[in-house]
Amino acid sequence: QVQLVESGGGLVQAGGSLRLSCAASGRTFGTYAMGWFRQAPGKEREFAAAISWSGTRYYAASVKGRFTISRDNAKNTVYLQMNSLKPEDTAVYSCAADFDPPSPVIATIQQGDYDYWGQGTQVTVSS
């Protein structure tokens, strides 16, 4: 089993920044991909960003240019640096791990491909 624990959420004004972290523990071996997804109130969970084991990055159009995903494989931790935050970025942000990606250089943006999920951390952006 793998446990994912997010941290770094909070309340920030529009235009501000936050950095989310997600630490993985347990059976964390293999070339797994990591992703960040978010769910706004009254909406379905959606893809935000993903990163392959080797560091290939993927972003949703709504966050590209403002968010940066990164990872430290030695620490089994993935990060999401969020800049120029907007009120529409308000959501619960969850990290996820995919332990069976097609390749170490590929990460999927499909929620169903992820095997493990964290509990989520709230991000609230005030206008």
Side-chain angles (χ1 to χ4, degrees):
Q1 290 293 321
V2 174
Q3 295 77 44
L4 302 176
V5 179
E6 302 97 338
S7 61
L11 173 64
V12 64
Q13 289 188 332
S17 299
L18 282 175
R19 188 194 195 205
L20 305 182
S21 299
C22 173
S25 61
R27 296 172 61 85
T28 54
F29 47 81
T31 55
Y32 58 96
M34 296 290 292
W36 284 97
F37 295 80
R38 65 185 186 179
Q39 186 168 19
K43 295 186 177 180
E44 293 189 353
R45 186 166 59 188
E46 64 178 11
F47 167 75
I51 187 167
S52 72
W53 176 260
S54 66
T56 307
R57 296 172 171 85
Y58 305 78
Y59 297 99
S62 58
V63 308
K64 194 170 186 178
R66 301 186 297 120
F67 291 11
T68 301
I69 189 171
S70 61
R71 66 187 295 165
D72 184 334
N73 291 337
K75 296 182 178 180
N76 292 316
T77 300
V78 64
Y79 306 95
L80 187 66
Q81 177 66 44
M82 304 185 295
N83 299 328
S84 302
L85 282 161
K86 305 175 181 180
E88 51 264 43
D89 294 317
T90 295
V92 174
Y93 285 71
S94 300
C95 68
D98 174 10
F99 277 77
D100 190 27
S103 159
V105 301
I106 294 175
T108 177
I109 67 172
Q110 302 299 325
Q111 299 183 41
D113 290 333
Y114 286 83
D115 307 298
Y116 298 97
W117 292 81
Q119 291 297 312
T121 185
Q122 177 70 46
V123 171
T124 302
V125 184
S126 62
S127 57

